[in-house]
Amino acid sequence: DAGSSVEEMEFNWDEYLEDTGATAAPHGSFKHVDTSLQNGFAPGMKLEVAVKSDQNTYWVATIITTCGQLLLLRYDGYGEDRKADFWCDILTADLHPIGWCEQNKKILKVPEGIKDKIPDQEEFLQRVLKGACSAPANLLEGLHRGKNPLDLIAPGSRLELQNIRDSLEAWIVNVVENVGGRLKLRYEGLEDSDKFDQWLFYLDPFLHQVGWAAQHGYSLQPPLAIRSLRSEADWQEILKKVKEEEEESSVPTDLFKDKPVIGVHSFSEGMKLEAVDPMAPFVICPATVLKVYNEKYFMIEMDDLRPERGTSQRFVCHLNSAGIFPVQWSLKNGLHLSPPPGYPGQDFDWADYLKQCGAEAAPQGCFPSLTSDHGFKENMKLEAVNPVDPEEVCIATVTKLKDSYLWLQLEGSKKPVPECIVSVESMNIFPVGWCETNGYQLRPPRKAIVNKQKKIAVVQPEKQILSSRTVHDGLKNQELNSSDSVVINGKYCCPKIYFNHRCFSGPYLNKGRIAELPQSVGPGNCVLVLKEVLTLLINAAYKPSRVLRELQLDEEAAWHGHGETLKAKYKGKSYRATVEVVRTADRVADFCRKTCIKLECCPNLFGPQMVLDKCSENCSVLTKTKYTHYYGKRKNKRIGRPPGGHSNLEVAMKKPNKRRKRRKHFFVHKKKRSSTSVDNTPAGSPQGSGAEEEDDQDESELSHSLAQDRDKRKRKLRTFSFSDDENKPPSPKDIKMEVAEKLQLDSNPLEWSVADVVRFLKSTDCAPLARIFLDQEIDGQALLLLTLPTVQECMDLKLGPAIKLCHHIERVKLAFYQQFAN
């Protein structure tokens, strides 16, 4: 019905980043988000697990990877062998902390698969359990079993919140909403009013479990702002009710174990400093230490010299509070310091001001050390809370950086706000995609990047929240194989991906840039995490465009995963390509390993396993040439036929400050190297003398050349001529090996496709080699040109398998000569 059409404005981060030419801030820079995704288990922890073949016996297993309430385990004794890894659902599997079997008279017995490797069970257990970390008992037993700690903060849960106007006071708050750890809190006693609601991340230093105030000698009473709304008797009745219901609404104490520890400060009353008002973090102004409560807390007041001033801005701080700086910090960093209201003139001078006030500046030692090692850069994009309206989470751009502080320009807020000043450790900033992952509305920019008209009214389904970590109802089995899909509440969860900087980086990746990558990325949505990992690798390459080309999806390959568009910049040009990534956690390890091999680096360079001391691949002893040989990639000897436009790598010139209305497509296609050329300098390495030239040639090829190549592939050859003695059709006296039986062909091998060649090989005893023919795209014409030296050199086969393969090739050649040559 045309009358009911709805125009829906949709926002897409990928399109937006491409349109603005910006990059997303790295996920690893948001430590509070990383902490919120942890389930309490960690790789390396040990537990006792029922042996699958004999449920009455148990054996020690080590956690390899965690994913929501699923654990990837490996029985101790398998060493580095991944084949026996298996997934367990914490809720249903028979899992226990170390020592449980002994306490409950259960049998610890070595599984059959590794019995021969462990001659002395007692000695082995003593050795592997010495200094081992057991999985926490409370996460394996009782009401909290299998639950992500964050999920325990549900609507209705109660916490205690310190008063930001007086830190020696606290009051009960109810959780109204939990969005990925960001809590909407309402004061107890104000159930019908949201006027005083607050949003805080659950790791906020001022947020505690119920009972904290009494334990630490703090007063439990409602803040002054709401105290007059009820009588004293009402407040006491509310406290009594809270104590009666404490067990039902309490949150486990260990949920707050990752909160920042508040240290001892050395501020004194009357000291002057520079500060940002947390309620309006737009400018830096002079401020004064108004009151010192104890060794942990003190109160800051923003200076105001006006005689008629009302209530001044005050807030409680601690040693690690953000937004407090020593005197002259702004001047040293080239920033503007706003004079206090009522100050005569605009040229503020700290020396004169301190003299007028008769005050001293807070010493440098009072302030925490600032770091610039955080991963943020100018023009990066992220998601940030609007300080004026905490309900809003907006798109934010980093406009400036100074030490540990970011200046953010928010986009799309209902009311425009100035640039905000936030700490890099702020819990009000989030990585790109955080709102979408947690089902929260992100404020789009005023001019949406994607504007789609839909002719039906769209009803948004209830969004699944990744951080709830509830395993999909389909996962009912007690144990899952490592090949099973891991689906969490309708979303796919990826374990943490580690960059193992000590591993061999190969010919494509720059060792120095690899060393600058974060230690890990994730966990989170598989597609998003892997996309970030691949983007980091592309940017760490000698030639990003070449690595992008290696990773791009072959359009004729089988489609197993999810296509993502990645970008690379090289020599002032931007390249785009579709790269296939996997969607499920169970395939992540294999995906990372195969990608490493594709890039000719150590298979452990990145993946869900952290390499602590020595790499299992012993990659440190391999040179670039040896490593390429070791994994048999040998890309410079590829012998198949050139594809007619398989490549989807796209290069486009960026036009600054001008949005592209229509994108022109320029394609770069993967060239096949001559089978006779040998280049021991790996392509993409800085030593490769021909690499620059090849890249430049690739960049200049346009789509019309691909069309010509396709025409050549479609054209059928009616004749077949031999140009040298090596490739003559064999005669019986030329055949060096005995032909076991005469081959009768149903079709001319000149017209065989790659699939036909593969099909033929699979019918012989050389079936395992069919994959090489598929990978190198060897069709019928190429097959008839193969000889023993070519097979050995280009397929990297030993003499025995090469002779066996050539036996079948000679059979095809003989049949061709007898049946079709005339």
Side-chain angles (χ1 to χ4, degrees):
D1 181 52
S4 62
S5 65
V6 176
E7 182 178 297
E8 184 187 20
M9 302 291 283
E10 295 181 0
F11 174 76
N12 180 288
W13 261 116
D14 287 337
E15 293 285 342
Y16 180 73
L17 290 172
E18 184 177 335
D19 187 81
T20 56
T23 57
H27 279 247
S29 297
F30 303 87
K31 295 181 177 62
H32 60 298
V33 176
D34 191 19
T35 301
S36 72
L37 295 173
Q38 296 173 7
N39 61 3
F41 295 96
M45 285 182 176
K46 295 185 183 293
L47 20 70
E48 295 174 355
V49 189
V51 177
K52 198 171 184 180
S53 57
D54 184 0
Q55 293 294 323
N56 295 318
T57 64
Y58 295 79
W59 189 241
V60 176
T62 301
I63 298 174
I64 304 300
T65 296
T66 68
C67 190
Q69 61 192 56
L70 297 182
L71 304 177
L72 183 63
L73 303 177
R74 182 184 303 162
Y75 286 122
D76 281 17
Y78 276 98
E80 296 297 322
D81 186 1
R82 307 177 184 181
K83 294 177 183 176
D85 292 3
F86 58 97
W87 287 99
C88 274
D89 183 345
I90 303 166
L91 284 176
T92 57
D94 198 357
L95 309 174
H96 305 280
I98 296 298
W100 180 86
C101 284
E102 185 179 355
Q103 295 170 6
N104 293 275
K105 305 291 189 289
K106 297 292 182 181
I107 302 170
L108 274 174
K109 184 179 178 183
V110 183
E112 288 295 327
I114 50 174
K115 204 168 186 179
D116 58 333
K117 297 182 180 179
I118 305 175
D120 187 337
Q121 176 176 313
E122 292 301 320
E123 185 275 334
F124 177 81
L125 286 175
Q126 284 182 6
R127 179 162 45 85
V128 299
L129 294 179
K130 186 178 180 180
C133 177
S134 173
N138 66 309
L139 297 177
L140 294 168
E141 302 163 355
L143 294 174
H144 300 155
R145 178 178 179 177
K147 288 189 176 180
N148 182 341
L150 191 58
D151 295 337
L152 302 177
I153 311 179
S157 298
R158 289 192 177 107
L159 298 164
E160 288 182 2
L161 176 62
Q162 279 179 268
N163 187 349
I164 197 170
R165 304 294 181 193
D166 186 345
S167 75
L168 299 183
E169 294 179 354
W171 187 241
I172 314 294
V173 286
N174 271 295
V175 176
V176 179
E177 195 174 349
N178 179 354
V179 180
R182 188 167 183 255
L183 310 179
K184 186 176 185 180
L185 304 171
R186 184 168 298 166
Y187 285 117
E188 187 75 36
L190 302 183
E191 288 76 11
D192 301 327
S193 172
D194 61 359
K195 182 180 178 182
F196 297 94
D197 286 1
Q198 297 184 53
W199 282 92
L200 288 175
F201 203 74
Y202 80 104
L203 296 173
D204 191 284
F206 285 85
L207 200 57
H208 312 278
Q209 72 275 12
V210 171
W212 176 87
Q215 292 171 12
H216 293 82
Y218 288 69
S219 171
L220 195 61
Q221 56 181 325
L224 198 61
I226 67 169
R227 201 172 297 173
S228 61
L229 299 178
R230 289 183 177 269
S231 66
E232 184 61 30
D234 287 342
W235 292 122
Q236 291 304 318
E237 189 64 32
I238 288 169
L239 266 182
K240 182 180 177 183
K241 177 188 171 187
V242 168
K243 289 179 180 177
E244 291 172 354
E245 300 174 354
E246 187 172 338
E247 285 191 15
E248 300 174 20
S249 60
S250 64
V251 172
T253 306
D254 61 352
L255 184 67
F256 300 98
K257 63 182 174 55
D258 295 315
K259 280 177 54 174
V261 177
I262 296 176
V264 176
H265 73 80
S266 54
F267 286 95
S268 301
E269 289 184 10
M271 284 183 174
K272 294 286 185 182
L273 65 157
E274 297 179 0
V276 175
D277 183 353
M279 302 304 170
F282 311 122
V283 293
I284 303 173
C285 303
T288 305
V289 178
L290 185 66
K291 185 177 183 180
V292 174
Y293 293 101
N294 51 31
E295 62 180 12
K296 288 191 175 182
Y297 300 103
F298 55 96
M299 178 176 279
I300 293 289
E301 181 180 51
M302 305 303 292
D303 285 2
D304 190 338
L305 306 180
R306 293 173 296 184
E308 72 283 359
R309 68 174 182 173
T311 305
S312 59
Q313 293 296 329
R314 301 175 179 180
F315 49 92
V316 174
C317 291
H318 51 82
L319 176 63
N320 296 317
S321 285
I324 56 174
F325 314 100
V327 163
Q328 303 286 11
W329 185 82
S330 296
L331 181 65
K332 290 175 183 176
N333 286 277
L335 301 170
H336 175 69
L337 180 71
S338 296
Y343 183 82
Q346 290 298 312
D347 296 328
F348 180 82
D349 182 79
W350 261 116
D352 291 342
Y353 186 62
L354 290 172
K355 192 173 181 181
Q356 291 172 17
C357 299
E360 64 171 326
Q364 179 73 44
C366 291
F367 301 87
S369 58
L370 302 178
T371 176
S372 55
D373 183 22
H374 43 66
F376 291 101
K377 294 180 181 177
E378 283 189 15
N379 296 320
M380 278 185 171
K381 301 286 184 180
L382 56 143
E383 299 175 4
V385 174
N386 183 350
V388 176
D389 184 359
E391 288 273 350
E392 287 187 354
V393 180
C394 304
I395 294 166
T397 306
V398 179
T399 59
K400 186 163 50 185
L401 295 104
K402 294 293 179 184
D403 292 328
S404 301
Y405 288 85
L406 310 174
W407 274 250
L408 300 178
Q409 181 63 60
L410 303 186
E411 299 177 44
S413 56
K414 292 176 184 175
K415 295 180 181 178
V417 293
E419 287 186 350
C420 308
I421 306 170
V422 300
S423 164
V424 294
E425 296 182 350
S426 168
M427 296 183 193
N428 283 328
I429 57 176
F430 304 95
V432 161
W434 183 86
C435 280
E436 182 183 5
T437 299
N438 291 285
Y440 195 77
Q441 176 63 51
L442 174 70
R443 293 291 303 175
R446 284 183 170 77
K447 292 183 179 179
I449 301 306
V450 181
N451 183 1
K452 296 181 180 177
Q453 287 193 352
K454 297 189 178 181
K455 293 298 181 181
I456 56 171
V458 177
V459 180
Q460 289 289 339
E462 182 182 353
K463 294 214 175 188
Q464 301 287 356
I465 300 176
L466 177 65
S467 59
S468 67
R469 305 301 232 186
T470 305
V471 173
H472 192 271
D473 292 339
L475 298 176
K476 296 295 185 184
N477 298 330
Q478 180 172 341
E479 290 188 0
L480 299 92
N481 295 324
S482 59
S483 60
D484 292 333
S485 296
V486 181
V487 185
I488 295 180
N489 213 19
K491 296 229 176 201
Y492 299 104
C493 176
C494 180
K496 187 178 289 188
I497 303 298
Y498 295 96
F499 289 106
N500 297 308
H501 300 126
R502 296 182 183 179
C503 288
F504 182 78
S505 57
Y508 294 102
L509 303 176
N510 185 314
K511 181 70 174 176
R513 293 177 191 166
I514 289 289
E516 295 173 357
L517 295 182
Q519 185 180 7
S520 63
V521 173
N525 179 291
C526 264
V527 172
L528 294 178
V529 170
L530 293 177
K531 183 177 179 182
E532 180 176 352
V533 167
L534 295 180
T535 299
L536 289 171
L537 288 171
I538 289 168
N539 293 334
Y542 289 111
K543 297 179 180 177
S545 58
R546 184 185 294 278
V547 169
L548 183 61
R549 185 171 61 193
E550 295 301 320
L551 296 175
Q552 68 178 310
L553 178 68
D554 188 337
E555 292 175 357
E556 292 187 0
W559 183 270
H560 297 295
H562 174 78
E564 278 290 323
T565 300
L566 297 185
K567 294 187 297 183
K569 291 185 178 180
Y570 183 62
K571 288 189 173 181
K573 297 180 182 178
S574 292
Y575 298 79
R576 285 183 298 277
T578 301
V579 175
E580 185 179 17
V581 295
V582 295
R583 293 171 175 265
T584 55
D586 56 295
R587 298 176 61 199
V588 166
D590 187 56
F591 171 83
C592 292
R593 190 174 181 85
K594 286 181 177 177
T595 304
C596 285
I597 293 173
K598 189 182 291 185
L599 296 178
E600 300 181 30
C601 56
C602 173
N604 290 332
L605 181 65
F606 64 93
Q609 275 195 319
M610 182 190 292
V611 175
L612 297 175
D613 298 316
K614 189 176 180 182
C615 174
S616 60
E617 299 288 335
N618 199 24
C619 64
S620 61
V621 302
L622 297 168
T623 65
K624 291 183 178 180
T625 305
K626 285 181 181 177
Y627 212 85
T628 305
H629 176 80
Y630 180 69
Y631 281 99
K633 189 160 186 183
R634 310 298 286 270
K635 298 190 67 171
N636 56 337
K637 296 184 181 179
R638 188 160 176 158
I639 57 179
R641 299 179 62 78
H646 291 178
S647 171
N648 57 2
L649 185 63
E650 177 186 321
V651 58
M653 299 297 292
K654 287 278 185 184
K655 294 183 179 180
N657 303 324
K658 187 174 181 181
R659 182 177 173 183
R660 295 182 300 278
K661 297 295 182 183
R662 186 173 182 179
R663 199 177 292 127
K664 291 186 178 181
H665 294 262
F666 298 88
F667 298 93
V668 175
H669 104 150
K670 290 184 180 177
K671 292 189 173 183
K672 302 297 178 288
R673 282 80 168 177
S674 167
S675 63
T676 58
S677 65
V678 179
D679 178 13
N680 288 328
T681 305
S685 69
Q687 293 89 352
S689 59
E692 297 278 355
E693 186 177 336
E694 182 189 321
D695 266 4
D696 292 340
Q697 289 174 354
D698 284 346
E699 290 163 9
S700 65
E701 292 186 18
L702 302 181
S703 56
H704 68 80
S705 66
L706 298 181
Q708 293 173 358
D709 203 22
R710 290 192 194 99
D711 292 341
K712 289 178 184 177
R713 290 194 70 188
K714 291 177 182 178
R715 195 182 303 134
K716 288 188 175 182
L717 300 178
R718 300 299 180 188
T719 61
F720 188 73
S721 61
F722 297 92
S723 59
D724 53 40
D725 291 339
E726 185 184 79
N727 291 320
K728 276 183 182 177
S731 63
K733 66 178 182 180
D734 291 331
I735 299 177
K736 304 296 181 185
M737 60 191 78
E738 182 183 349
V739 179
E741 61 181 23
K742 185 177 179 180
L743 184 65
Q744 190 69 28
L745 299 178
D746 295 326
S747 60
N748 189 340
L750 275 180
E751 298 178 1
W752 282 4
S753 65
V754 175
D756 294 329
V757 172
V758 169
R759 197 176 299 114
F760 165 72
L761 282 172
K762 285 186 175 179
S763 68
T764 71
D765 58 355
C766 288
L769 302 178
R771 183 70 199 180
I772 300 177
F773 283 69
L774 180 64
D775 289 343
Q776 299 209 18
E777 301 176 61
I778 300 174
D779 61 8
Q781 295 179 38
L783 179 73
L784 292 173
L785 293 171
L786 291 180
T787 63
L788 182 59
T790 311
V791 165
Q792 277 189 278
E793 182 183 10
C794 299
M795 294 187 179
D796 207 17
L797 295 179
K798 293 182 180 178
L799 183 60
I803 290 175
K804 187 188 289 187
L805 175 60
C806 285
H807 167 71
H808 294 292
I809 295 172
E810 293 300 328
R811 292 174 63 206
V812 174
K813 288 180 180 180
L814 181 59
F816 162 77
Y817 183 75
Q818 293 175 340
Q819 291 179 242
F820 302 100
N822 295 327

